[in-house]
Amino acid sequence: MFMRSHDKVVNELRKELRAAMGDHGKLSRLHSLVTEKINHADTYGEEKESLTRFRKEVRDALNSCTSRPAF
């Protein structure tokens, strides 16, 4: 089975997500990067759907992140 190019992009982003776990700043930047990619004019269809699902994973990681100090 061949991987579509957007599947490769999401797999690379997942590596970034694993590396950023626990670091709120890195997760936040990753979320912004994915959001920009989703909002890009050339992103549509399956690619947009895959990126939207991945953005939810990043958002969930951000919500469970405990590295931010409580004030």
Side-chain angles (χ1 to χ4, degrees), residues 14-25:
R14 279 205 174 90
K15 289 178 187 177
E16 295 286 328
L17 175 61
R18 285 191 296 272
M21 291 305 272
D23 186 329
H24 189 273

Side-chain angles (χ1 to χ4, degrees), residues 37-45 47-48:
K37 180 71 174 159
I38 290 170
N39 292 335
H40 192 268
D42 294 338
T43 305
Y44 57 93
E47 181 180 15
K48 191 169 192 170

